[in-house]
Amino acid sequence: MNKDSSISNLYTIKVVNKTFHRIQIKARSANENQELIILSDSLWVEPGHLRSLPVVVKMSKKAIKENSLPVQINIYSNNEVIGKAQNTFLAPVYN
């Protein structure tokens, strides 16, 4: 548990740039109850390269109603969704 009474899980998103030009990516949680924190200085992916992007998903204790909740992270480039990452958020239930 964090100091602000939230729970966080660490994930690694892998993005492959299959284009011939450098792209800048953004990541956002599809769930409004989940805050996404990107743990990287640069969000650029070179052509033909794989980029690992460590992220933390935080949730308020009050929003956690089950031990296992879905996580969907949308990956954007030029304000267009270019990929989606799905996983599970694991946390104890306090309510």
Side-chain angles (χ1 to χ4, degrees):
M1 185 178 341
N2 301 316
K3 290 180 182 180
D4 63 355
S5 297
S6 65
I7 306 294
S8 59
N9 284 199
L10 175 66
Y11 303 91
T12 301
I13 300 170
K14 295 186 179 183
V15 179
V16 177
N17 182 355
K18 296 181 180 179
T19 70
F20 295 104
H21 57 278
R22 185 178 187 219
I23 61 171
Q24 185 175 21
I25 57 172
K26 294 180 182 180
R28 295 187 190 119
S29 175
N31 184 332
E32 64 187 35
N33 292 328
Q34 299 170 349
E35 177 186 355
L36 185 71
I37 301 167
I38 300 170
L39 304 175
S40 179
D41 293 337
S42 174
L43 299 176
W44 289 94
V45 185
E46 299 299 327
H49 283 81
L50 169 74
R51 177 68 196 267
S52 293
L53 187 66
V55 298
V56 171
V57 175
K58 283 177 57 173
M59 288 187 71
S60 161
K61 282 190 342 182
K62 293 178 183 179
I64 299 171
K65 306 291 184 202
E66 301 175 36
N67 291 94
S68 177
L69 299 164
V71 171
Q72 179 175 316
I73 299 170
N74 295 329
I75 310 301
Y76 295 83
S77 181
N78 295 323
N79 294 319
E80 180 181 326
V81 176
I82 61 169
K84 297 178 181 182
Q86 297 180 345
N87 212 314
T88 304
F89 189 93
L90 301 174
V93 177
Y94 289 97
N95 300 333

